[in-house]
Amino acid sequence: MRFVQVAVPVPVRKLFTYRVPDAWEEKALLGCRCRVPFGRSGEKMGYVVAEAEKLPKSLDREKIKPLGAVLDERPTFSPAMLDFTRWAAEHYVASWGEMLRAAHPVRLSAKARRRYSLTPKGRDAATQGKGKGISEAMCRVLDALGSAAADEARELTLRGLSRALGEEISASRMETLVRHGWVREESTFVEPRKGKYRLAVECLREAEAGEAGPAETLILRELKKRGEAVPVAELSPFASDPHAVVRRLRAKGLVRVFQQRILRDPFWDKPPEQNRELTLTGHQEKVFRAALPALRESRFQPVLLHGVTGSGKTEVYIRLIREALGMGRRALYLVPEIGLTPLTAARLRAHFAANVAILHSGLDEGERYDEWERVRRGEVDLVVGTRSAVFAPIESLGLVVVDEEHDPSYKQEESPYYNGRDLAVVRAQRDNAVVFLGSATPSTETYFNACGDSSSSFPSTRKPRKAGYLSLALPERIEKRPLPGMRLVDMTKEFQETGERKILSRALEEALMQCVARGEQAMLLLNRRGYAPFVLCRECGYTPDCEHCSVMLTLHTRGGRRDANDGKIPASAYLMCHYCGHREKIPRRCPECEGEFLQMVGHGTEQVETYVRSLLAGGARTLRLDRDTASLKDAHHRILSAFGRGEAQVLVGTQMIAKGHDFPNVTLVGVVSADTGLAFPDFRAAERTFQLLTQVAGRAGRAERPGEVFIQTVNPRHYAVEMAVGGRVAEFYRKELWFRRVMKYPPYTAMAIVLARDRNEEKAVKLIKKLARALREAGDPRVAVLGPAPAPLAKIKDVHRYHVVLKSSSRGRLRSVLDKALGSLKRLKRESVRINVDPVNVL
């Protein structure tokens, strides 16, 4: 009798043992997906991760449940990838099953469809009604299931029930009904189609005299002319009913008809850039030569490539990729955001043609599946993608590039909370590969690993520190083009001199008009979408809050074109929550004091766009790039491409426009408010502000024409703003690292956040107190346990959130305390607990 261990994607850090049915006794199951019986939910999809060679004596072999089905003909995960995901799960104190699911392309995730039917006990309960303590809401569900049974539609899904009742039915309500025995729940697995196919035909032999009719002869002639399989749909010009003609030809043995696999190409509508031979500058050549020994020796080497914006980091990466591929090894190229993936992939395709695969969640499921399959079959040598691409099934990995490595988008902000950048370093170490972490503004942790905390100038080439990181530098732009001139504008002083709270300062307005008049382009950044951050009652100070989240509602418009500087609320405006999407009308009077003086406060990208259009009324076109305009597939790429082609003179946007873009005609960059991120209750606020200002400034003056940058702020003396404007990179990191060391924040400590979540606030409080007590009772004085306390965002989507923060100078001790505390809470409702190791966002 054979047994296997299965990792199930549920928030439980344990493996489950199942018996292998006799029919699969000889089948290789390691790394395959399978269906398994699991608790009350019926069945779940799991991953076979090990053979269970020795079973605990307490386990009755006869009672071990068998596998339901094996979903793969060949393993989805290799042994190396299983080991890698297991390490990642342990490091981030996550479920191995959840980590494997995160490593999966969407197309491979078979989904359970739950169906519900009424039991005899439930029928009696529905008849007795509320007199027996059954709520009205539950009675409505039971009645709907009874009606479905009467119509011989004996089962309903959750969506079907919601549709039948005209209200949203929650899974928790159905769990209550199942628990009472009134409703039966059954799960069936729906396996998505793994490929796209079309009916195709190919010629087997020529027809003999009189064997084929006129239409058949025409089609045979066309097949012979093409010399390959042809989709039947493409033969319609040669016959009114090509399918009937092809059937006759197949019956005569003249053709073969089959289902032809179609590989969906994410690049089908994106022509590759023109290839140009790379000639490296002196600094680029120095970086390239410094990395070659480790690459050629197949030796693990992490490298920080600290290059100013426009210094040509991508050219160095391309040369290194070409070197790795020439050695018979493969490469992985990570970018932080979906919007940067097509641009980077197009540039790489110009050099490596179809030898490039792209992986990110913005692709159609079919496109993603096909690209993942190309990688698994070894048909491509270079993979480009976002953080999840770190799990791509690449063999013989020789080079890993993490572009814009400082970007917080590399951290997944839902369970499992892994960091793609850090896992890229671990994966490179396991594959004896070189990993490049490139940025003009490295993360404080990476900078510390490579340069320490006492650097006095722009970091040059350094020998690896104890952390093993090699520091390489590109301190100049290509062709020694100058960095843009930076100008700081004190908006408090501007108000004192003009008496107006203006969106753009006088200096920036004048520079913008001159830029457009010269036929050049400008970019305006405000890291706040919407029309205005909030609405305020001037009489009592009331601000509309989201009823589902602990945030103020943001003012949006439906394309209104009022003067953005008159302070009045546009007629087309409405209020929206950026966390749950809740929308509501703006009240005519204040709900608190009945006052009539409701006023919008502050500016968002919509208002900036409106104001710029009114300022440049002579026909200059503007575009806006934020989460609202980029919500559709490829919208991000379309907007940036249109701006790159010169179809607009001004691009207004959030941080989406700040990094990775090269527009030669952009000579002006304006930061509308440099203070937006400084007010966040996050120890990384200064670092992110410095990075954002430096990155967006680097979009100006990247070609022959010089650039200029205007930084508007009400806090001109903050060190992050001062040092970004002055280009004092090493000085900023010294000051920031001093602050981190004094306050015991990363990189000097390891950190984790334990979050308790529940729709019932009392339950959330009770749970976080229990967790805090268990963490303190774990008994390690070298691990600081701070809290419990409400999270900075205390409620999101009607879920109350409380947290505990852990700090320790030893990552091992921190993880040991977490393991011990969670292990002591046997009946902990784990789906209500989130553990975020190495958080990049403490909100």
Side-chain angles (χ1 to χ4, degrees):
M1 196 176 290
R2 182 182 170 195
F3 300 91
V4 292
Q5 290 187 310
V6 175
V8 181
V10 293
V12 178
R13 294 178 61 217
K14 62 177 288 188
L15 300 178
F16 299 89
T17 303
Y18 291 90
R19 176 170 51 83
V20 179
D22 295 340
W24 303 325
E25 187 70 32
E26 302 301 321
K27 183 177 176 61
L29 298 177
L30 189 67
C32 290
R33 296 172 307 144
C34 59
R35 294 200 317 236
V36 293
F38 195 86
R40 272 192 245 121
S41 62
E43 278 190 322
K44 284 190 177 295
M45 186 187 74
Y47 309 89
V48 178
V49 295
E51 296 281 344
E53 297 177 356
K54 292 184 179 180
L55 298 179
K57 293 181 180 179
S58 59
L59 207 58
D60 187 347
R61 288 178 168 236
E62 300 302 322
K63 293 183 179 180
I64 297 177
K65 296 178 181 178
L67 296 176
V70 178
L71 303 176
D72 298 316
E73 289 297 320
R74 57 175 180 155
T76 295
F77 292 111
S78 67
M81 187 54 65
L82 286 175
D83 190 50
F84 177 57
T85 52
R86 180 185 58 80
W87 183 93
E90 290 177 358
H91 179 83
Y92 291 104
V93 193
S95 155
W96 191 1
E98 288 186 314
M99 193 65 71
L100 285 166
R101 183 173 59 188
H104 243 172
V106 174
R107 199 74 183 177
L108 290 182
S109 298
K111 297 178 181 179
R113 179 177 293 168
R114 298 182 181 183
R115 295 182 177 273
Y116 301 95
S117 58
L118 199 64
T119 64
K121 186 178 177 182
R123 192 175 296 109
D124 294 340
T127 304
Q128 294 168 358
K130 289 187 289 185
K132 292 294 183 178
I134 306 172
S135 69
E136 184 177 341
M138 289 184 177
C139 279
R140 288 199 301 271
V141 173
L142 295 175
D143 289 341
L145 289 171
S147 300
D151 293 339
E152 297 186 356
R154 299 190 178 281
E155 298 174 333
L156 279 177
T157 63
L158 201 61
R159 179 180 295 180
L161 272 170
S162 300
R163 191 163 47 242
L165 292 172
E167 62 177 296
E168 191 68 28
I169 306 299
S170 66
S172 58
R173 188 189 301 182
M174 299 308 299
E175 287 176 7
T176 302
L177 293 170
V178 171
R179 192 163 55 249
H180 281 85
W182 298 331
V183 171
R184 181 184 299 106
E185 177 186 275
E186 294 183 5
S187 294
T188 57
F189 269 79
V190 180
E191 181 72 20
R193 290 186 63 188
K194 294 182 180 179
K196 187 175 182 180
Y197 296 86
R198 62 187 175 189
L199 194 65
V201 58
E202 65 178 354
C203 183
L204 294 178
R205 64 180 177 85
E206 293 185 12
E208 298 176 0
E211 190 177 5
E216 295 168 358
T217 302
L218 279 175
I219 286 182
L220 283 173
R221 191 178 300 159
E222 180 64 18
L223 293 175
K224 186 178 179 183
K225 178 182 174 182
R226 296 202 191 184
E228 60 182 10
V230 178
V232 175
E234 293 183 12
L235 297 174
S236 55
F238 307 97
S240 58
D241 186 356
H243 287 84
V245 176
V246 166
R247 283 196 296 271
R248 293 198 299 270
L249 289 171
R250 181 175 60 179
K252 297 174 182 179
L254 297 174
V255 298
R256 181 173 78 95
V257 182
F258 61 99
Q259 290 289 335
Q260 184 183 50
R261 174 77 180 276
I262 304 172
L263 288 177
R264 289 150 286 203
D265 184 4
F267 302 107
W268 70 270
D269 60 343
K270 303 175 182 69
E273 294 185 1
Q274 185 176 358
N275 189 4
R276 56 185 176 85
E277 193 59 36
L278 299 176
T279 302
L280 301 185
T281 66
H283 287 293
Q284 289 175 323
E285 188 70 30
K286 187 176 181 181
V287 169
F288 174 69
R289 295 292 173 191
L292 275 183
L295 188 62
R296 289 174 174 171
E297 295 167 14
S298 297
R299 171 167 50 87
F300 168 63
Q301 178 61 67
V303 180
L304 165 61
L305 179 54
H306 188 173
V308 299
T309 55
S311 58
K313 294 184 284 292
T314 306
E315 279 79 1
V316 176
Y317 300 150
I318 290 171
R319 282 285 295 273
L320 287 166
I321 291 169
R322 188 175 293 166
E323 188 75 19
L325 269 54
M327 297 165 51
R329 305 193 75 185
R330 295 187 170 93
L332 172 64
Y333 196 121
L334 298 182
V335 294
E337 294 178 1
I338 291 173
L340 296 177
T341 315
L343 300 172
T344 303
R347 190 168 182 182
L348 293 171
R349 284 182 76 223
H351 292 273
F352 304 104
N355 201 13
V356 181
I358 183 170
L359 289 174
H360 63 74
S361 59
L363 298 178
D364 289 340
E365 286 191 355
E367 290 175 340
R368 193 178 181 195
Y369 170 76
D370 285 345
E371 291 291 277
W372 195 86
E373 273 293 298
R374 290 176 66 210
V375 177
R376 183 163 71 157
R377 291 195 298 264
E379 295 174 5
V380 292
D381 296 323
L382 173 58
V383 176
V384 183
T386 50
R387 61 174 177 261
S388 61
V390 75
F391 298 111
I394 314 172
E395 301 291 335
S396 302
L397 192 60
L399 177 70
V400 179
V401 173
V402 185
D403 200 16
E404 307 293 354
E405 65 84 27
H406 67 278
D407 198 290
S409 299
Y410 282 117
K411 177 74 171 182
Q412 175 148 303
E413 291 298 340
E414 59 184 13
S415 185
Y417 293 86
Y418 70 88
N419 191 311
R421 176 200 63 198
D422 297 345
L423 286 185
V425 176
V426 174
R427 183 155 189 199
Q429 183 181 34
R430 287 167 167 261
D431 285 42
N432 293 316
V434 176
V435 54
F436 263 76
L437 308 175
S439 177
T441 54
S443 67
T444 303
E445 290 86 346
T446 301
Y447 187 94
F448 176 75
N449 285 336
C451 305
D453 54 9
S454 59
S455 178
S456 59
S457 61
F458 193 93
S460 57
T461 301
R462 294 170 176 269
K463 293 180 179 179
R465 296 179 66 250
K466 187 176 180 180
Y469 282 59
L470 177 65
S471 175
L472 303 176
L474 292 174
E476 295 178 348
R477 281 187 161 183
I478 297 293
E479 298 178 0
K480 296 189 177 180
R481 292 170 186 150
L483 290 168
M486 304 274 282
R487 181 172 172 181
L488 193 62
V489 181
D490 186 344
M491 294 303 286
T492 302
K493 187 176 180 181
E494 184 84 6
F495 173 72
Q496 292 170 349
E497 293 176 355
T498 65
E500 295 181 76
R501 295 192 182 278
K502 301 190 65 162
I503 295 177
L504 303 185
S505 62
R506 293 164 295 174
L508 181 53
E509 280 188 6
E510 183 180 353
L512 181 61
M513 290 188 288
Q514 290 178 358
C515 173
V516 172
R518 293 192 301 266
E520 297 167 359
Q521 292 176 298
M523 300 173 72
L524 299 177
L525 178 137
L526 175 58
N527 202 23
R528 181 184 286 142
R529 64 187 175 107
Y531 197 85
F534 60 95
V535 171
L536 174 73
C537 174
R538 289 191 298 172
E539 295 187 32
C540 71
Y542 165 79
T543 59
D545 294 332
C546 177
E547 61 187 51
H548 307 288
C549 308
S550 300
V551 295
M552 290 184 292
L553 294 171
T554 302
L555 185 77
H556 283 256
T557 65
R558 296 181 180 88
R561 290 290 178 267
R562 289 186 63 97
D563 181 357
N565 207 36
D566 63 6
K568 296 179 181 178
I569 298 174
S572 61
Y574 60 93
L575 296 172
M576 177 180 175
C577 176
H578 287 174
Y579 286 88
C580 70
H582 168 75
R583 298 187 182 197
E584 62 182 57
K585 294 180 180 179
I586 299 174
R588 291 177 178 269
R589 293 176 175 271
C590 173
E592 297 289 335
C593 71
E594 294 293 321
E596 298 180 3
F597 301 102
L598 291 174
Q599 183 176 357
M600 62 183 184
V601 179
H603 317 300
T605 50
E606 287 181 22
Q607 191 175 165
V608 173
E609 181 190 25
T610 301
Y611 182 74
V612 169
R613 283 179 173 171
S614 65
L615 181 68
L616 305 174
R621 188 186 172 200
T622 65
L623 287 171
R624 174 164 54 92
L625 181 61
D626 54 26
R627 192 175 295 179
D628 298 317
T629 61
S631 58
L632 299 177
K633 182 187 176 186
D634 283 342
H636 192 295
H637 178 67
R638 287 197 302 271
I639 293 170
L640 290 174
S641 296
F643 186 68
R645 291 191 299 268
E647 295 177 13
Q649 288 69 51
V650 182
L651 177 63
V652 178
T654 57
Q655 62 182 356
M656 291 181 175
I657 70 172
K659 53 188 173 292
H661 309 303
D662 189 359
F663 300 115
N665 200 35
V666 171
T667 58
L668 175 66
V669 166
V671 179
V672 177
S673 175
D675 313 285
T676 305
L678 291 174
F680 278 90
D682 192 325
F683 70 91
R684 288 191 171 90
E687 176 187 0
R688 287 180 181 158
T689 298
F690 175 82
Q691 290 168 341
L692 185 62
L693 297 181
T694 304
Q695 289 284 343
V696 74
R699 300 313 108 200
R702 296 174 72 94
E704 291 77 15
R705 300 170 183 174
E708 58 180 341
V709 180
F710 289 79
I711 307 291
Q712 297 184 171
T713 177
V714 296
N715 196 359
R717 296 187 180 278
H718 193 285
Y719 70 94
V721 176
E722 275 189 335
M723 294 176 186
V725 172
R728 292 142 59 188
V729 177
E731 188 177 347
F732 169 78
Y733 284 107
R734 279 205 311 276
K735 187 172 183 67
E736 185 68 12
L737 284 165
W738 172 85
F739 160 72
R740 301 283 185 90
R741 184 171 61 250
V742 170
M743 300 303 295
K744 296 182 179 179
Y745 281 122
Y748 297 97
T749 60
M751 188 173 170
I753 294 176
V754 180
L755 186 72
R757 307 157 67 250
D758 204 288
R759 289 183 175 272
N760 184 306
E761 188 172 10
E762 291 183 5
K763 290 182 179 179
V765 171
K766 184 177 180 181
L767 179 58
I768 197 64
K769 287 181 177 179
K770 184 185 295 185
L771 285 164
R773 185 165 55 250
L775 289 166
R776 288 191 169 94
E777 289 174 354
D780 194 328
R782 294 165 295 184
V783 178
V785 180
L786 310 177
L793 289 175
K795 185 173 74 169
I796 296 179
K797 298 180 181 179
D798 291 320
V799 175
H800 297 274
R801 307 164 78 245
Y802 287 79
H803 70 183
V804 173
V805 178
L806 281 75
K807 290 183 184 179
S808 177
S809 58
S810 166
R811 184 175 300 279
R813 285 195 288 267
L814 183 80
R815 194 159 59 243
S816 175
V817 165
L818 281 168
D819 288 338
K820 187 175 179 181
L822 294 172
S824 68
L825 299 172
K826 300 297 184 184
R827 301 186 65 182
L828 187 65
K829 190 178 179 183
R830 283 302 307 270
E831 57 267 25
S832 298
V833 179
R834 296 288 184 269
I835 300 171
N836 190 350
V837 176
D838 299 332
V840 300
N841 185 346
V842 299
L843 297 182

